[in-house]
Amino acid sequence: MSKVWGPALLLVACLGAVLCDNQCENPQKDAQYSYEHVFSSARDKGVNFWDLPGYSRSVYAEDHALLTPESRVWAPNTYGWHNSMTAHLITPAKGPHFTMYLVQMKQDSKASQLDPKVERFVFMVEGNVQVKHDGKAIDLAANDYAYFPPGSNDTLTSAKGAGLCVFERVYSKKGKPAFQHGTTDDRPVLPVAPEVFVLRKLLPASDEFDFNIHVMDFEPGQYLYVKEIHYNQHGLLLLQGQGIYRLGNNWYPVQAGDAIWMPPFVLQWYAALGNQSSRYLLYKDTNLDPLLSP
Ligand code: UGY
Ligand code: MN
């Protein structure tokens, strides 16, 4: 460098430094970039859509619905659930004759007295509740259940909190179904051949009951043999596992926590996938004359 250019360049650099201290700074100089998603191995396994703004797997169509956890709307103390939050997933608003909803009971919470026309089934997902039936206290924990017939005066309280899945409907028969309670895995496994899943029914199959709650277990790779179409209605909660649920001509990837509404005659089929067994809870109306019943 010549003797003239050296000092001149130094002067320009110093001037620049002084001026740009306030005015010429690159506004993005301090921006934090993170490009780890471009080549991350996690991306090869699939994008985690869970928190993507505006994205939901939920679908509410004319002939079926898939209700995934990110679209649950929780309401406080709905219809007499005291100190509790409820998220209704299925109601008669879209045609079903039953409701299916989740309840988060907090500390020192209780359920309402039932409308005398309504029967209620409660499945325990987590936590503890106490039922008082005919003066007797019954403690329920995960996988336990209780059925309250129409006109029941029994109470249901939780001292420390609980998570429940509840099914209710207006009783539609002339019988006198009795209070029931128990533990899912104590119920007998019923024959289903040529199906391969494990089936338990939580209520008696006797004629006075107008619905039942099935618990169905599939090992990964097992699937429904019958691609079912039937007049019965279903409300389903996937308690564990993942797989593909076919509803009409839609094949939905599903995972634990997802709920499904199946009205009469929707084509339905399930295949369990992944590395964990699938278990789902399924409302099904039963013992009803399809000609005379809604
Ligand atoms: O009993 C049922 O209707 C039952 N197999 N349906 C279902 O799993 N979608
Ligand atoms: Mn079915």
Side-chain angles (χ1 to χ4, degrees), residues 214 216 224 226 228-230 232-234 245 262 266 268-269 280 282-284:
H214 298 190
M216 294 172 56
L224 281 175
V226 179
E228 297 175 16
I229 292 183
H230 50 61
N232 316 77
Q233 307 188 10
H234 286 321
Y245 226 103
M262 289 176 251
V266 68
Q268 56 201 256
W269 176 86
Y280 62 71
L282 188 78
Y283 168 96
K284 184 173 187 175

Coordinates of all heavy atoms in Angstrom, one line a residue, residues 214 216 224 226 228-230 232-234 245 262 266 268-269 280 282-284, ligand 2:
H214 N -68.2 -50.2 25.5 CA -67.2 -51.2 25.2 C -65.8 -50.7 25.5 O -65.5 -49.5 25.2 CB -67.3 -51.6 23.7 CG -68.6 -52.1 23.3 ND1 -68.8 -52.7 22.1 CD2 -69.8 -52.2 23.9 CE1 -70.1 -53.1 22.0 NE2 -70.7 -52.8 23.1
M216 N -62.1 -51.6 24.0 CA -61.5 -52.5 22.9 C -60.0 -52.3 22.9 O -59.5 -51.2 22.9 CB -62.1 -52.1 21.6 CG -63.6 -52.5 21.5 SD -64.5 -51.9 20.0 CE -63.5 -52.6 18.7
L224 N -59.6 -53.9 12.6 CA -61.0 -54.4 12.5 C -61.2 -55.2 11.2 O -60.8 -54.8 10.2 CB -62.0 -53.3 12.5 CG -62.4 -52.6 13.8 CD1 -63.3 -51.4 13.6 CD2 -63.0 -53.6 14.8
V226 N -64.2 -56.5 10.2 CA -65.4 -56.0 9.5 C -65.2 -54.5 9.2 O -64.9 -53.7 10.2 CB -66.6 -56.2 10.4 CG1 -67.9 -55.7 9.7 CG2 -66.8 -57.7 10.7
E228 N -67.2 -51.8 9.3 CA -68.6 -51.8 9.8 C -69.4 -50.6 9.2 O -69.0 -49.5 9.1 CB -68.5 -51.6 11.3 CG -67.9 -52.7 12.1 CD -67.8 -52.4 13.6 OE1 -68.5 -51.5 14.0 OE2 -67.0 -53.0 14.2
I229 N -70.7 -51.0 8.9 CA -71.7 -50.0 8.8 C -72.9 -50.5 9.6 O -73.3 -51.6 9.4 CB -72.1 -49.8 7.3 CG1 -71.0 -49.2 6.5 CG2 -73.4 -49.0 7.1 CD1 -71.3 -49.0 5.0
H230 N -73.4 -49.7 10.5 CA -74.5 -50.2 11.3 C -75.4 -49.0 11.8 O -74.9 -47.8 11.7 CB -74.1 -51.0 12.5 CG -73.0 -50.4 13.3 ND1 -73.1 -49.3 14.0 CD2 -71.7 -50.9 13.6 CE1 -72.0 -49.0 14.7 NE2 -71.1 -49.9 14.4
N232 N -76.3 -48.3 14.8 CA -75.9 -47.8 16.2 C -75.0 -46.5 16.1 O -74.3 -46.3 15.1 CB -75.2 -48.8 16.9 CG -75.8 -50.2 16.8 OD1 -75.6 -50.8 15.8 ND2 -76.5 -50.6 17.8
Q233 N -75.1 -45.7 17.1 CA -74.3 -44.5 17.2 C -73.1 -44.8 18.1 O -73.2 -45.7 19.0 CB -75.0 -43.4 17.8 CG -76.3 -43.1 17.1 CD -77.0 -41.8 17.6 OE1 -76.4 -41.0 18.4 NE2 -78.2 -41.6 17.2
H234 N -72.0 -44.2 17.9 CA -70.8 -44.3 18.7 C -70.2 -43.0 19.2 O -70.2 -42.0 18.4 CB -69.6 -45.0 17.9 CG -69.8 -46.4 17.7 ND1 -70.3 -47.3 18.6 CD2 -69.4 -47.2 16.6 CE1 -70.2 -48.6 18.0 NE2 -69.7 -48.5 16.8
Y245 N -57.9 -44.3 11.8 CA -59.3 -44.5 11.9 C -59.9 -44.2 10.5 O -59.7 -43.0 10.0 CB -60.0 -43.7 13.0 CG -60.9 -44.6 13.7 CD1 -60.6 -45.2 15.0 CD2 -62.2 -45.0 13.1 CE1 -61.5 -46.1 15.6 CE2 -63.0 -45.9 13.8 CZ -62.7 -46.5 15.0 OH -63.5 -47.4 15.6
M262 N -69.4 -41.1 15.7 CA -69.9 -41.9 14.6 C -71.4 -42.0 14.6 O -71.9 -42.6 15.5 CB -69.3 -43.3 14.6 CG -67.8 -43.3 14.3 SD -67.1 -45.0 14.5 CE -66.1 -44.7 16.0
V266 N -72.2 -44.6 9.3 CA -71.0 -44.2 8.8 C -70.0 -45.4 8.7 O -70.0 -46.2 9.7 CB -70.3 -43.0 9.6 CG1 -69.9 -43.5 11.0 CG2 -69.1 -42.4 8.9
Q268 N -66.9 -47.5 9.2 CA -65.9 -47.3 10.3 C -64.9 -48.5 10.3 O -65.3 -49.6 10.1 CB -66.6 -47.1 11.6 CG -67.5 -48.2 12.0 CD -68.5 -47.9 13.0 OE1 -68.4 -48.2 14.2 NE2 -69.6 -47.1 12.6
W269 N -63.7 -48.2 10.5 CA -62.6 -49.2 10.5 C -61.4 -48.6 11.2 O -61.1 -47.4 11.2 CB -62.3 -49.5 9.1 CG -61.1 -50.5 8.9 CD1 -61.2 -51.9 8.9 CD2 -59.8 -50.2 8.6 NE1 -60.0 -52.4 8.7 CE2 -59.1 -51.4 8.5 CE3 -59.1 -49.0 8.5 CZ2 -57.7 -51.5 8.3 CZ3 -57.7 -49.0 8.3 CH2 -57.0 -50.3 8.2
Y280 N -59.5 -48.3 23.3 CA -60.5 -47.2 23.2 C -61.8 -47.6 23.9 O -62.1 -48.8 24.1 CB -60.7 -46.7 21.8 CG -61.2 -47.5 20.7 CD1 -62.5 -48.0 20.6 CD2 -60.4 -47.7 19.6 CE1 -63.0 -48.7 19.5 CE2 -60.9 -48.4 18.4 CZ -62.2 -48.9 18.4 OH -62.6 -49.6 17.3
L282 N -65.9 -47.0 24.0 CA -66.8 -46.8 22.9 C -68.2 -46.8 23.4 O -68.7 -47.9 23.9 CB -66.6 -47.9 21.9 CG -67.3 -47.8 20.6 CD1 -66.7 -46.8 19.6 CD2 -67.4 -49.1 19.9
Y283 N -69.0 -45.7 23.3 CA -70.4 -45.7 23.6 C -71.1 -46.4 22.4 O -70.8 -46.2 21.2 CB -70.9 -44.3 23.7 CG -72.4 -44.2 23.7 CD1 -73.2 -44.1 24.9 CD2 -73.1 -44.2 22.5 CE1 -74.6 -44.0 24.8 CE2 -74.5 -44.1 22.4 CZ -75.2 -44.0 23.6 OH -76.6 -44.0 23.6
K284 N -72.1 -47.3 22.7 CA -72.9 -47.9 21.6 C -74.3 -48.1 22.2 O -74.5 -48.8 23.2 CB -72.3 -49.3 21.2 CG -73.0 -49.9 20.1 CD -72.2 -51.2 19.6 CE -72.9 -51.7 18.3 NZ -72.1 -52.9 17.8
Ligands
MN2 MN -69.2 -50.0 15.4

